[in-house]
Amino acid sequence: MKFKLTLSALALGLASLSAQAQTEIQWWHSMGGALGEWVNDLAKDFNASQKDYKIVPTFKGSYDESMTAAIAAYRAGNAPHILQVFEVGTATMMASKGAIVPVGKVMQDAGLKFDQNAYVPAVAGYYTAPNGQMLSFPFNSSTPVFHYNKDAFKAAGLDPNTPPTTWPEVALAAAKLKASGHKCPFTTSWISWTQLESFSAWHNTEFATKGNGMRGMDARLSFNTPLHVRHIDNLANMAKQGLFVYKGRGNAADATFVSGECAMATGSSALYGSVVRNGKFGYGIGTLPYYPDVNGAPQNTVIGGASLWVMSGKKAPEYKGVAQFFAHLSKDNVAAASHQRTGYLPVTKSSFEVTEKSGFYKKNPGTDVSVTQMIRKTTDKSRGVRLGNFVQIRTIIDEELEGVWSGKKGTQEALDMAIKRGNEQLERFEKANK
């Protein structure tokens, strides 16, 4: 009996030792709802695939909130190993040299094969330093697309299989939807991202100088051209007629599309997962609308979403675990499943090919729109927007455009003021990081 007890105690002791031997990797993220479940499943699958490391995902609120929390934690010496940062925070993270370890270095130090060319170029390029080193892992990149409610289209006498592709067509469809009794024909989330940043790239024009900040910190905002004024004016006129309904900042409008309240919306391609899961209507995806009389349009859209940054000050075995996790996320089957589940862009070129060969795009029309919008040839004006203090700049744009939607400000005045205030932010960032 005593011998049996000793053996049991020994077994328990060994079990607890092996549990202790597991290296924990803290991952802070901003994915709620269906996307939060996806993140938890990714961690669970990786943890089950090996015994050395345990990824611990923690939801830290919105992108803004998680970034603020991580900066505070870094200063206090207890930052997470992995931090999910939205694309707007990229320039800030790039400037925080001591706070991060480039993902290329993490993979190299762990002795893992890491080919930057395997990743979708338009995405990987955005997170790559001027010296060619990839700085963060392109985890959940999205791009703006056009979402529409096929049932609402049918009820309004519109063809449910032919979404509007130009802005004049959007206005005509909105008028028919309104006439059929729809209170919110068209809305949009992330105003700056969809209606100014991607709008500019899609029309092959700059949102900011210096290739939208890609070529230097001395970039300045430039979205007050006649084309930008024309577009915001058109949206303001649609707002007056009840064809465009502003639903608030950030992604506030997403819920109004998923619920069926709004019939058309421009927003992230990653809204797909939520609509498929919670929408109670026929769902269609189209390309971002454009103005057909603009030379060079449509070009390509820019990325949104976020990437995973590795924080500095950790132990070598912990970085090895981070590298193993990133290698796991890059596997064809894992990356393809993530793309198909969420609507985010495929991380690698081969995961796109796997998805295409599986017939997923044929079975789910429109799910390839985000990819085709992003893999067109990019120009200096359409590689993406990478600016310092970008979070503050987007808030300024929201504030100024809210004056337009409410009829209290003219478009030119609002855009000029947004540029003046935004450029002050850029000057501040440039001085602080010289």
Side-chain angles (χ1 to χ4, degrees):
M1 188 69 184
K2 203 175 189 182
F3 179 65
K4 275 187 184 173
L5 280 170
T6 311
L7 272 181
S8 303
L10 187 64
L12 278 170
L14 286 171
S16 73
L17 266 175
S18 72
Q20 281 166 3
Q22 231 183 15
T23 304
E24 281 201 356
I25 311 292
Q26 299 297 327
W27 175 18
W28 288 6
H29 68 87
S30 299
M31 305 270 90
L35 293 173
E37 288 173 20
W38 165 58
V39 161
N40 290 335
D41 286 346
L42 285 175
K44 215 182 288 175
D45 291 348
F46 172 73
N47 293 343
S49 73
Q50 45 71 53
K51 292 188 171 69
D52 298 326
Y53 309 103
K54 185 185 180 186
I55 297 286
V56 182
T58 306
F59 176 71
K60 282 284 176 178
S62 69
Y63 283 132
D64 286 2
E65 288 163 349
S66 62
M67 198 165 162
T68 307
I71 290 163
Y74 173 74
R75 285 180 186 144
N78 55 4
H81 300 83
I82 304 169
L83 174 66
Q84 185 190 29
V85 178
F86 59 166
E87 94 286 7
V88 186
T90 300
T92 303
M93 295 301 284
M94 283 176 78
S96 317
K97 291 186 176 73
I100 62 121
V101 185
V103 69
K105 183 180 179 344
V106 172
M107 302 302 277
Q108 203 179 340
D109 291 352
L112 290 172
K113 186 174 165 254
F114 183 64
D115 177 13
Q116 289 188 193
N117 296 323
Y119 297 85
V120 173
V123 176
Y126 186 83
Y127 296 115
T128 299
N131 67 2
Q133 187 178 44
M134 200 192 278
L135 297 174
S136 62
F137 182 81
F139 174 60
N140 62 308
S141 293
S142 58
T143 201
V145 294
F146 186 83
H147 305 276
Y148 70 103
N149 182 324
K150 288 186 171 186
D151 295 353
F153 266 49
K154 274 184 207 158
L158 293 159
D159 181 353
N161 298 313
T162 312
T165 56
T166 68
W167 282 108
E169 286 171 2
V170 171
L172 288 170
K176 285 196 173 177
L177 285 157
K178 190 187 173 194
S180 74
H182 234 282
K183 296 272 193 304
C184 176
F186 168 72
T187 190
T188 185
S189 59
W190 300 110
I191 286 276
S192 175
W193 182 47
T194 60
Q195 305 310 321
L196 288 174
E197 297 159 39
S198 266
F199 174 85
S200 300
W202 202 221
H203 291 83
N204 204 26
T205 188
E206 281 189 332
F207 172 84
T209 62
K210 291 282 173 123
N212 294 317
M214 290 286 195
R215 293 197 306 273
M217 276 196 235
D218 53 343
R220 295 298 179 260
L221 302 168
S222 58
F223 53 78
N224 57 351
T225 69
L227 174 63
H228 292 101
V229 171
R230 167 191 175 186
H231 179 54
I232 300 301
D233 257 348
N234 285 345
L235 286 178
N237 288 330
M238 284 175 70
K240 273 181 207 154
Q241 296 166 55
L243 305 179
F244 161 52
V245 182
Y246 176 65
K247 289 290 183 181
R249 299 181 188 183
N251 66 346
D254 288 354
T256 66
F257 177 75
V258 177
S259 70
E261 181 193 338
C262 295
M264 303 184 289
T266 45
S268 169
S269 55
L271 187 57
Y272 169 80
S274 182
V275 181
V276 165
R277 185 180 158 187
N278 303 312
K280 304 282 191 285
F281 51 83
Y283 170 43
I285 304 168
T287 54
L288 203 64
Y290 67 101
Y291 288 100
D293 59 333
V294 174
N295 283 338
Q299 174 57 42
N300 62 275
T301 48
V302 296
I303 67 167
S307 63
L308 302 181
W309 292 78
V310 184
M311 305 301 282
S312 64
K314 306 296 179 187
K315 297 183 183 121
E318 294 167 3
Y319 285 128
K320 213 164 193 178
V322 170
Q324 293 282 2
F325 181 51
F326 288 169
H328 175 78
L329 296 179
S330 303
K331 286 177 183 169
D332 284 354
N333 60 329
V334 177
S338 286
H339 163 54
Q340 292 168 32
R341 177 172 172 174
T342 63
Y344 282 119
L345 293 162
V347 171
T348 60
K349 288 181 273 193
S350 55
S351 62
F352 167 60
E353 286 154 15
V354 164
T355 302
E356 200 168 30
K357 279 180 194 151
S358 75
F360 179 80
Y361 298 130
K362 278 185 181 154
K363 281 182 224 138
N364 303 276
T367 49
D368 60 339
V369 165
S370 61
V371 187
T372 54
Q373 278 188 180
M374 285 296 292
I375 58 176
R376 292 160 188 260
K377 186 173 174 282
T378 55
T379 71
D380 270 359
K381 294 169 183 169
S382 67
R383 271 180 67 206
V385 182
R386 199 159 70 195
L387 300 169
N389 288 346
F390 204 176
V391 177
Q392 293 90 324
I393 290 167
R394 276 196 177 169
T395 302
I396 287 165
I397 288 168
D398 283 337
E399 286 169 4
E400 292 299 333
L401 289 183
E402 278 163 3
V404 176
W405 315 138
S406 63
K408 289 174 185 159
K409 252 187 186 177
T411 298
Q412 187 76 59
E413 179 198 358
L415 292 181
D416 288 349
M417 185 52 79
I419 282 179
K420 180 179 179 291
R421 292 174 63 198
N423 281 342
E424 286 165 9
Q425 291 290 336
L426 289 175
E427 283 159 29
R428 202 173 297 164
F429 185 82
E430 189 187 358
K431 272 181 201 158
N433 292 288
K434 262 186 174 168

